[in-house]
């Protein structure tokens, strides 16, 4: 399964632009519900948020009107901020605790190395890390002077590291399945990590990015109630706090309820 996904993103990156295919979950493809299958599946679900967000940026960038540059740049920066919180949480919290629980220091080092926060030690890591840095720096520069924003420049940067990023996003959930050889309470650890990661995201400037790219119809709707937070809390996050920067979240691949819709900049009604 990993090989197929990697070939797909490489092929599209070469011929049609760097559009990433979403990842199937093991819960859906195998029907299993053990704790390790659920952890790997939920990892794929959150990775699909980054994938759908990436695609929404890549597909819309060439058509964004100058009047919307500021909002679109903030949308792109929110993608980066979410990804950063996700990776930092893995490296600083979840992975070290897992390795301590199984008594195997370095067992998850491949995933950490791919993040590239230390010295890159492979071509995939270096490409992923360097491209992500250029992406962030270009958007920060553009945010200071939105009129200077050049969509084709952003697309070019994304083309340089999209395949490497997708390789990482596709490989990591499968790597977590290797934890099934150990006997420990992994799911409780994972759930706590997820709760803490959500808490580190701004409810008005970052977390709404998740809501507008978390497809609640995916795989027949089996993830419609994910993440497992109290319904009242999720309702407030989606319907109240996300209104603060509503113009930014217009570019999402779904509405705030997770229902897929046509991308704003690709609609016939989106005109100067």
């Amino acid at each position: 399964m990993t090989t197929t996904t990697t070939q797909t993103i490489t092929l599209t990156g070469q011929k049609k632009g760097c559009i990433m295919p979403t990842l199937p979950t093991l819960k859906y493809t195998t029907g299993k519900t053990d704790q390790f299958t659920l952890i790997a599946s939920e990892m794929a679900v959150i990775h699909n948020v980054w994938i759908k967000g990436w695609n929404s940026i890549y597909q819309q960038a060439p058509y964004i009107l100058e009047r919307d540059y500021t909002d679109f740049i903030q949308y792109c920066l929110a993608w980066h901020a979410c990804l950063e919180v996700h990776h930092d949480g893995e490296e600083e919290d979840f992975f070290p605790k897992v390795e301590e629980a199984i008594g195997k220091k370095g067992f998850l080092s491949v995933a950490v190395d791919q993040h590239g926060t230390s010295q890159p030690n492979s071509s995939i890591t270096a490409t992923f890390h360097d491209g992500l840095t250029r992406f962030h720096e270009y958007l920060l520069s553009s945010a200071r002077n939105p009129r200077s924003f050049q969509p084709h420049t952003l697309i070019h940067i994304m083309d340089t590291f999209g395949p490497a990023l997708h390789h990482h996003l596709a490989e990591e959930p499968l790597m977590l399945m290797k934890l099934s050889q150990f006997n420990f309470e992994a799911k409780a650890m994972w759930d706590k990590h997820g709760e803490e990661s959500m808490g580190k995201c701004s409810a008005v400037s970052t977390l709404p990015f998740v809501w507008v790219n978390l497809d609640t119809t995916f795989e027949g709707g089996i993830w419609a109630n994910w993440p497992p937070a109290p319904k009242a809390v999720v309702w407030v996050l989606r319907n109240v706090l996300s209104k603060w920067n509503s113009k930014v979240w217009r570019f999402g691949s779904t509405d705030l309820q997770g229902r897929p819709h046509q991308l704003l900049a690709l609609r016939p009604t989106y005109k100067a």
Side-chain angles (χ1 to χ4, degrees):
M1 185 159 59
T2 310
T3 303
T4 301
T5 348
T6 305
Q7 287 177 339
T8 302
I9 184 63
T10 302
L11 183 62
T12 52
Q14 291 172 346
K15 294 186 177 180
K16 298 180 181 178
C18 208
I19 304 301
M20 298 183 181
T22 51
L23 311 173
T25 69
L26 290 173
K27 177 184 177 181
Y28 182 77
T29 58
T30 69
K32 295 180 179 179
T33 56
D34 62 275
Q35 63 170 342
F36 300 104
T37 296
L38 290 178
I39 291 171
S41 296
E42 291 179 11
M43 176 73 85
V45 170
I46 193 63
H47 281 192
N48 280 339
V49 170
W50 317 146
I51 288 172
K52 291 181 75 67
W54 168 283
N55 290 344
S56 69
I57 292 169
Y58 194 93
Q59 290 177 287
Q60 292 182 96
Y63 307 103
I64 297 298
L65 300 174
E66 187 174 333
R67 70 179 185 225
D68 289 329
Y69 279 0
T70 297
D71 294 329
F72 186 70
I73 291 166
Q74 291 307 312
Y75 178 77
C76 297
L77 285 169
W79 177 87
H80 181 274
C82 285
L83 187 67
E84 194 170 56
V85 167
H86 176 67
H87 282 164
D88 288 351
E90 288 175 338
E91 293 179 22
E92 298 168 8
D93 177 63
F94 183 62
F95 289 171
K97 287 180 179 177
V98 165
E99 291 180 346
E100 182 180 359
I102 65 177
K104 296 280 187 179
K105 185 174 176 60
F107 187 80
L108 298 172
S109 61
V110 172
V112 175
D113 289 345
Q114 286 183 1
H115 292 172
T117 49
S118 56
Q119 182 64 33
N121 58 9
S122 74
S123 59
I124 289 178
T125 299
T127 301
F128 170 17
H129 176 259
D130 293 348
L132 197 58
T133 299
R134 289 196 305 276
F135 177 88
H136 190 217
E137 289 177 347
Y138 180 70
L139 289 166
L140 289 177
S141 173
S142 297
R144 291 190 289 271
N145 180 17
R147 283 192 169 189
S148 70
F149 178 65
Q150 296 291 329
H152 68 272
T153 300
L154 183 67
I155 292 296
H156 173 71
I157 293 171
M158 295 174 76
D159 281 336
T160 65
F161 74 102
L165 173 60
H166 191 268
H167 174 86
H168 165 71
L169 295 175
E171 186 175 78
E172 196 170 60
L174 301 179
M175 182 195 65
L176 291 181
M177 278 303 297
K178 295 179 181 179
L179 295 173
S180 62
Q181 64 189 280
F182 303 102
N183 183 22
F184 71 111
E185 286 296 324
K187 190 61 168 67
M189 195 179 297
W190 168 255
D191 289 344
K192 184 178 180 182
H193 159 68
E195 183 179 340
E196 291 175 351
S197 293
M198 280 187 66
K200 293 177 181 177
C201 293
S202 167
V204 297
S205 63
T206 308
L207 193 56
F209 184 92
V210 174
W211 306 133
V212 297
N213 287 291
L214 180 58
D215 183 356
T216 55
T217 70
F218 179 61
E219 293 184 334
I222 64 173
W223 304 103
N225 295 318
W226 191 90
K231 289 184 178 180
V233 172
V234 173
W235 189 92
V236 170
L237 290 170
R238 286 183 187 271
N239 299 290
V240 180
L241 298 179
S242 295
K243 301 296 184 182
W244 256 260
N245 295 299
S246 58
K247 291 179 69 177
V248 174
W249 315 126
R250 295 176 297 156
F251 303 105
S253 61
T254 75
D255 62 18
L256 284 165
Q257 310 310 316
R259 295 174 295 224
H261 58 197
Q262 186 176 21
L263 295 172
L264 175 67
L266 304 187
R267 297 174 193 170
T269 54
Y270 185 74
K271 300 176 181 178

